[in-house]
Short mmCIF file of all heavy atoms in Angstrom, two decimals:
data_model
loop_
_atom_site.label_atom_id
_atom_site.label_comp_id
_atom_site.label_asym_id
_atom_site.label_seq_id
_atom_site.Cartn_x
_atom_site.Cartn_y
_atom_site.Cartn_z
N GLU A 795 -234.75 -113.64 -114.25
CA GLU A 795 -235.86 -112.75 -113.97
C GLU A 795 -235.44 -111.40 -113.42
O GLU A 795 -236.02 -110.37 -113.75
CB GLU A 795 -236.84 -113.41 -112.99
CG GLU A 795 -238.08 -112.58 -112.76
CD GLU A 795 -239.19 -113.28 -112.01
OE1 GLU A 795 -238.92 -114.41 -111.50
OE2 GLU A 795 -240.29 -112.72 -111.90
N VAL A 846 -231.64 -120.62 -117.76
CA VAL A 846 -232.87 -119.84 -117.52
C VAL A 846 -233.16 -119.91 -116.02
O VAL A 846 -233.36 -121.02 -115.46
CB VAL A 846 -234.04 -120.40 -118.33
CG1 VAL A 846 -235.28 -119.56 -118.10
CG2 VAL A 846 -233.68 -120.46 -119.82
N ILE A 847 -233.16 -118.76 -115.38
CA ILE A 847 -233.17 -118.69 -113.90
C ILE A 847 -234.40 -117.96 -113.39
O ILE A 847 -234.70 -116.85 -113.80
CB ILE A 847 -231.91 -117.99 -113.38
CG1 ILE A 847 -230.65 -118.76 -113.80
CG2 ILE A 847 -231.96 -117.83 -111.86
CD1 ILE A 847 -229.39 -118.04 -113.46
N ASP A 848 -235.10 -118.61 -112.48
CA ASP A 848 -236.13 -117.93 -111.64
C ASP A 848 -235.65 -118.11 -110.21
O ASP A 848 -235.83 -119.18 -109.64
CB ASP A 848 -237.51 -118.57 -111.84
CG ASP A 848 -238.60 -117.70 -111.25
OD1 ASP A 848 -238.28 -116.87 -110.37
OD2 ASP A 848 -239.77 -117.84 -111.68
N ILE A 850 -236.60 -117.14 -107.28
CA ILE A 850 -237.67 -117.62 -106.41
C ILE A 850 -238.94 -117.70 -107.25
O ILE A 850 -239.51 -116.67 -107.64
CB ILE A 850 -237.94 -116.73 -105.21
CG1 ILE A 850 -236.73 -116.64 -104.29
CG2 ILE A 850 -239.13 -117.31 -104.38
CD1 ILE A 850 -236.94 -115.87 -103.03
N ASP A 851 -239.35 -118.91 -107.60
CA ASP A 851 -240.60 -119.08 -108.32
C ASP A 851 -241.67 -119.32 -107.26
O ASP A 851 -241.62 -120.30 -106.52
CB ASP A 851 -240.51 -120.26 -109.28
CG ASP A 851 -241.70 -120.35 -110.20
OD1 ASP A 851 -242.21 -119.28 -110.58
OD2 ASP A 851 -242.11 -121.47 -110.53
N GLY A 852 -242.63 -118.41 -107.21
CA GLY A 852 -243.62 -118.47 -106.15
C GLY A 852 -243.29 -117.47 -105.05
O GLY A 852 -243.35 -117.79 -103.85
N GLY A 962 -245.38 -121.84 -107.25
CA GLY A 962 -244.15 -122.05 -107.98
C GLY A 962 -244.03 -123.36 -108.71
O GLY A 962 -244.97 -124.13 -108.85
N MET A 963 -242.79 -123.63 -109.18
CA MET A 963 -242.53 -124.76 -110.05
C MET A 963 -242.47 -126.10 -109.31
O MET A 963 -242.24 -127.15 -109.90
CB MET A 963 -241.22 -124.55 -110.80
CG MET A 963 -241.40 -124.77 -112.32
SD MET A 963 -239.90 -124.48 -113.30
CE MET A 963 -239.61 -122.75 -113.02
N TYR A 966 -244.47 -128.87 -111.02
CA TYR A 966 -243.81 -129.70 -112.03
C TYR A 966 -243.01 -130.82 -111.34
O TYR A 966 -243.00 -131.96 -111.79
CB TYR A 966 -242.85 -128.85 -112.86
CG TYR A 966 -243.45 -128.06 -113.98
CD1 TYR A 966 -243.63 -126.67 -113.86
CD2 TYR A 966 -243.79 -128.65 -115.18
CE1 TYR A 966 -244.14 -125.91 -114.90
CE2 TYR A 966 -244.32 -127.92 -116.22
CZ TYR A 966 -244.47 -126.54 -116.09
OH TYR A 966 -244.98 -125.81 -117.12
N PHE A 977 -250.71 -131.11 -114.03
CA PHE A 977 -250.67 -129.67 -113.71
C PHE A 977 -251.02 -128.91 -114.97
O PHE A 977 -250.43 -129.16 -116.03
CB PHE A 977 -249.26 -129.29 -113.20
CG PHE A 977 -249.01 -127.80 -113.21
CD1 PHE A 977 -249.89 -126.92 -112.63
CD2 PHE A 977 -247.85 -127.28 -113.78
CE1 PHE A 977 -249.66 -125.54 -112.63
CE2 PHE A 977 -247.59 -125.92 -113.79
CZ PHE A 977 -248.51 -125.05 -113.21
N ARG A 979 -251.44 -125.03 -116.56
CA ARG A 979 -251.23 -123.58 -116.39
C ARG A 979 -251.88 -122.83 -117.51
O ARG A 979 -251.50 -122.95 -118.66
CB ARG A 979 -249.72 -123.31 -116.37
CG ARG A 979 -249.33 -121.85 -116.10
CD ARG A 979 -249.60 -121.44 -114.68
NE ARG A 979 -249.18 -120.08 -114.40
CZ ARG A 979 -247.98 -119.74 -113.90
NH1 ARG A 979 -247.10 -120.70 -113.69
NH2 ARG A 979 -247.68 -118.51 -113.67
N ARG A 982 -254.57 -118.06 -120.48
CA ARG A 982 -254.58 -116.68 -120.07
C ARG A 982 -254.47 -115.78 -121.28
O ARG A 982 -254.00 -116.21 -122.35
CB ARG A 982 -253.47 -116.40 -119.09
CG ARG A 982 -252.08 -116.49 -119.69
CD ARG A 982 -251.00 -115.89 -118.79
NE ARG A 982 -250.96 -116.47 -117.47
CZ ARG A 982 -249.90 -116.37 -116.66
NH1 ARG A 982 -248.81 -115.72 -117.09
NH2 ARG A 982 -249.90 -116.91 -115.47
N PRO A 988 -248.38 -112.46 -120.56
CA PRO A 988 -247.78 -113.63 -121.24
C PRO A 988 -247.08 -114.56 -120.24
O PRO A 988 -246.54 -114.10 -119.19
CB PRO A 988 -246.80 -113.02 -122.21
CG PRO A 988 -246.46 -111.68 -121.61
CD PRO A 988 -247.68 -111.22 -120.94
N HIS A 989 -247.03 -115.83 -120.54
CA HIS A 989 -246.23 -116.76 -119.75
C HIS A 989 -244.76 -116.44 -119.97
O HIS A 989 -244.34 -116.09 -121.09
CB HIS A 989 -246.52 -118.19 -120.19
CG HIS A 989 -247.91 -118.63 -119.92
ND1 HIS A 989 -248.36 -119.01 -118.68
CD2 HIS A 989 -249.01 -118.73 -120.75
CE1 HIS A 989 -249.64 -119.34 -118.75
NE2 HIS A 989 -250.06 -119.17 -119.98
N LYS A 990 -243.95 -116.58 -118.94
CA LYS A 990 -242.53 -116.27 -119.02
C LYS A 990 -241.72 -117.57 -119.05
O LYS A 990 -242.04 -118.53 -118.37
CB LYS A 990 -242.09 -115.41 -117.83
CG LYS A 990 -242.85 -114.07 -117.73
CD LYS A 990 -242.56 -113.17 -118.94
CE LYS A 990 -243.38 -111.89 -118.90
NZ LYS A 990 -243.15 -111.08 -117.69
N VAL A 991 -240.65 -117.51 -119.80
CA VAL A 991 -239.86 -118.73 -120.03
C VAL A 991 -239.26 -119.27 -118.74
O VAL A 991 -239.15 -120.47 -118.52
CB VAL A 991 -238.75 -118.45 -121.07
CG1 VAL A 991 -237.73 -117.44 -120.57
CG2 VAL A 991 -238.07 -119.72 -121.56
N TRP A 992 -238.89 -118.36 -117.80
CA TRP A 992 -238.24 -118.82 -116.55
C TRP A 992 -239.22 -119.54 -115.62
O TRP A 992 -238.77 -120.20 -114.68
CB TRP A 992 -237.56 -117.67 -115.83
CG TRP A 992 -238.40 -116.45 -115.68
CD1 TRP A 992 -239.54 -116.32 -114.93
CD2 TRP A 992 -238.17 -115.17 -116.26
NE1 TRP A 992 -240.04 -115.06 -115.01
CE2 TRP A 992 -239.20 -114.31 -115.82
CE3 TRP A 992 -237.16 -114.65 -117.08
CZ2 TRP A 992 -239.29 -112.97 -116.22
CZ3 TRP A 992 -237.24 -113.31 -117.48
CH2 TRP A 992 -238.29 -112.48 -117.02
N ASP A 993 -240.51 -119.45 -115.89
CA ASP A 993 -241.49 -120.13 -115.05
C ASP A 993 -241.71 -121.58 -115.46
O ASP A 993 -242.47 -122.30 -114.78
CB ASP A 993 -242.85 -119.43 -115.11
CG ASP A 993 -242.84 -118.08 -114.37
OD1 ASP A 993 -242.15 -117.98 -113.35
OD2 ASP A 993 -243.53 -117.17 -114.84
N HIS A 994 -241.06 -122.04 -116.54
CA HIS A 994 -241.43 -123.34 -117.09
C HIS A 994 -240.26 -124.20 -117.56
O HIS A 994 -240.44 -125.41 -117.68
CB HIS A 994 -242.42 -123.15 -118.25
CG HIS A 994 -243.66 -122.44 -117.86
ND1 HIS A 994 -244.69 -123.05 -117.17
CD2 HIS A 994 -244.04 -121.15 -118.04
CE1 HIS A 994 -245.66 -122.17 -116.96
NE2 HIS A 994 -245.27 -121.00 -117.46
N VAL A 995 -239.10 -123.63 -117.83
CA VAL A 995 -238.03 -124.45 -118.44
C VAL A 995 -237.55 -125.53 -117.50
O VAL A 995 -237.44 -126.71 -117.88
CB VAL A 995 -236.86 -123.55 -118.89
CG1 VAL A 995 -235.64 -124.40 -119.28
CG2 VAL A 995 -237.26 -122.67 -120.06
N ALA A 996 -237.18 -125.19 -116.28
CA ALA A 996 -236.65 -126.18 -115.33
C ALA A 996 -237.67 -127.32 -115.09
O ALA A 996 -237.33 -128.49 -115.10
CB ALA A 996 -236.25 -125.53 -114.02
N GLY A 997 -238.93 -126.94 -114.91
CA GLY A 997 -239.95 -127.92 -114.66
C GLY A 997 -240.20 -128.82 -115.84
O GLY A 997 -240.41 -130.03 -115.69
N LEU A 1024 -243.34 -116.68 -123.69
CA LEU A 1024 -243.75 -117.89 -124.40
C LEU A 1024 -245.00 -117.57 -125.20
O LEU A 1024 -245.94 -116.95 -124.69
CB LEU A 1024 -244.06 -119.02 -123.45
CG LEU A 1024 -242.91 -119.55 -122.58
CD1 LEU A 1024 -243.40 -120.65 -121.69
CD2 LEU A 1024 -241.75 -120.05 -123.45
#
Side-chain angles (χ1 to χ4, degrees):
E795 183 169 10
V846 183
I847 299 173
D848 193 339
I850 299 184
D851 190 34
M963 232 179 296
Y966 278 105
F977 165 49
R979 183 70 177 268
R982 67 167 56 161
H989 296 281
K990 300 296 177 58
V991 67
W992 48 65
D993 289 325
H994 301 283
V995 170
L1024 297 180

